[in-house]
Amino acid sequence: MSTSNTSPLGQKDIFDAQAAADLRAKRKDRIAKSLSKRHRKEKIFRIAGFSAVMAGLFFVALLFGSILIKGLPAFWQAGMSVPVYFDPNIIDAGPRPVQKAGESPAQFQGRYIAWQTKMGMVDWDALIVNGIISKAPALAPQRDELGEIYTSSESYRLRDMVFENPALIGKTQDIKILADANVDVWVRGQIDRDLPDEQQQLSPEVRKLADEMEAQGVLTTSFNTQIFTNPDSRSSPATSGLAGAFMGSLFMMLIVIFISIPIGVASAIYLEEFAPKNYITDIIEVNINNLAAVPSIVFGLLGAAIFIGWMHLPLSAPLVGGLVLSLMTLPTVIITTRASLKAVPPSIRQAALGLGASRVQTIFHHVLPLALPGILTGAIIGVAQALGETAPLLLIGMSAFVASVPTSPLDQSTALPVQIFLWQGNELRNFFEGRTAAAIIVLLALMIGLNSLAIWLRKKFEVRW
């Protein structure tokens, strides 16, 4: 009689093993589903992050693209090269007066002013029109309309040339004459030619003449360097440039560099390395952080109240603008400098102190050189931010029209961002829309250059420990 080899205990073991296997299978299935879910979420997150980066780059490219498309053509302007003959029969004011022996300064000044008055009454436009006709004799019947082709300030430029060099009288010189702003807009197709005559800025005769001169090659489009060398102009929009605004921004940035950076770095060194840790320094640190977040227009109000209202500094001067921007940049310089000092490992300080260096020697001979890349980066970024500020400058009067290039920080001036603000509101929209974009390109180029310099300095002086 045979007996079964499977005991009740063995059947239980088989059941437990099967249950354990089922449990492991379920656990593996749950883990697999969990991993699949996590991988799916990670993939979705990566796609979302990549999409966000691409969307940001797209909008930045769209912004820069629209600015470049509108601004780059503004660096080219319609004009003509005219052989101007400084006809002595037209310039009949006589030679420049020379002080005679025994003549008093007052008498000489009187004769000189009378000569200047005669020079101002010379028909300088006739010289330009004669030059155009000598280059294209077929335009002689339209002599009356030729005076409307070029911008009005060109006649004054000829006068100033003769003032500076009277030897030009009787000679012929090729001079680049800029077209009037409305003619430039017409020639370069920046206005709808199908508009009725009452909506056109030029008369039908002048429009026809401009097209004829362009067809004959008399009126051409070339790169206009005067946008960099001329100040702003309202009487002659075609000659308006960025020279005054650029010099104003330059003076302000020099003031920011020589005020905010030394004071900010010194303040950060003291607060981080020497100041006692108590409630007073805590309050100072909190206020510095709060000042970094204050809107820039508040600094403009502060500057208008203190520097102009109380100290009576000149209105619309780069000195006041530089002081206001220095106050605005100061918290940024302090915060970035302290962060750079904190990034230096404590072992550097401990090693220097252990070798017998004093606290001051440790900071200035060891810690500060290692923190220099971060300090330079923060300072340059702060200056670049100040370069693009507009709101505080509007409140201290730098939005005023200034038709001269400042020669000192005390002269009236404007700034590049303010010049952009003024041009975008000009009534000659078709002409100044492109010129506004061109000014933005110049400002962006300066800011990108400053930020690139910060990155280069950080890489050059970066020390790894």
Side-chain angles (χ1 to χ4, degrees), residues 37 55 131 168 171 208 221 244 259 293 298 358-359 387 430:
K37 186 177 180 180
L168 287 173
K171 297 180 180 179
K208 182 180 178 181
T221 301
I259 292 181
V298 176
S358 66
R359 187 72 179 273
L387 177 63
N430 290 335

Side-chain angles (χ1 to χ4, degrees), residues 51-65:
S51 300
V53 172
M54 290 296 103
L57 291 176
F58 170 76
F59 287 114
V60 170
L62 184 64
L63 172 64
F64 277 79

Side-chain angles (χ1 to χ4, degrees), residues 376-387 443-458:
L376 288 175
T377 301
I380 295 175
I381 290 176
V383 172
Q385 178 188 2
L387 177 63
L443 180 60
L444 287 177
L446 292 175
M447 296 184 69
I448 292 173
L450 287 173
N451 283 278
S452 300
L453 177 63
I455 295 172
W456 180 77
L457 289 174
R458 185 177 62 194

Side-chain angles (χ1 to χ4, degrees), residues 58-265:
F58 170 76
F59 287 114
V60 170
L62 184 64
L63 172 64
F64 277 79
S66 62
I67 292 174
L68 291 174
I69 290 173
K70 291 181 180 179
L72 287 179
F75 291 107
W76 279 260
Q77 194 166 342
M80 46 194 162
S81 179
V82 178
V84 176
Y85 173 59
F86 293 89
D87 191 347
N89 296 321
I90 297 178
I91 310 174
D92 56 355
R96 171 183 284 181
V98 178
Q99 189 168 7
K100 300 176 182 179
E103 185 180 26
S104 68
Q107 291 174 333
F108 169 71
Q109 186 68 17
R111 288 197 303 114
Y112 187 77
I113 292 175
W115 175 76
Q116 285 184 319
T117 302
K118 290 182 179 179
M119 290 288 285
M121 297 175 65
V122 169
D123 188 3
W124 300 101
D125 290 306
L127 301 180
I128 300 176
V129 172
N130 290 342
I132 297 174
I133 293 175
S134 68
K135 186 173 184 178
L139 300 176
Q142 297 168 287
R143 183 183 185 91
D144 294 338
E145 287 79 21
L146 285 174
E148 300 183 44
I149 293 294
Y150 57 88
T151 185
S152 59
S153 65
E154 297 294 7
S155 58
Y156 300 112
R157 184 155 68 98
L158 295 186
R159 181 198 62 187
D160 294 339
M161 290 173 62
V162 175
F163 274 153
E164 295 176 4
N165 185 16
L168 287 173
I169 299 176
K171 297 180 180 179
T172 300
Q173 184 171 342
D174 284 334
I175 299 176
K176 175 69 175 180
I177 302 295
L178 286 178
D180 184 74
N182 291 322
V183 174
D184 177 77
V185 169
W186 174 263
V187 170
R188 298 202 294 143
Q190 294 178 341
I191 190 171
D192 187 3
R193 295 193 169 211
D194 296 328
L195 291 174
D197 289 344
E198 59 270 14
Q199 295 183 17
Q200 295 286 356
Q201 295 166 318
L202 297 173
S203 65
E205 294 79 14
V206 176
R207 299 201 301 269
K208 182 180 178 181
L209 177 59
D211 291 335
E212 184 179 348
M213 293 178 67
E214 184 184 18
Q216 294 181 11
V218 177
L219 197 60
T220 59
T221 301
S222 59
F223 188 79
N224 180 28
T225 58
Q226 294 190 30
I227 193 174
F228 302 104
T229 58
N230 287 356
D232 194 13
S233 175
R234 286 183 180 173
S235 60
S236 178
T239 61
S240 58
L242 296 170
F246 179 82
M247 289 303 299
S249 291
L250 177 62
F251 283 131
M252 287 191 295
M253 292 307 103
L254 290 176
I255 293 171
V256 170
I257 290 171
F258 286 110
I259 292 181
S260 68
I261 294 179
I263 295 177
V265 172

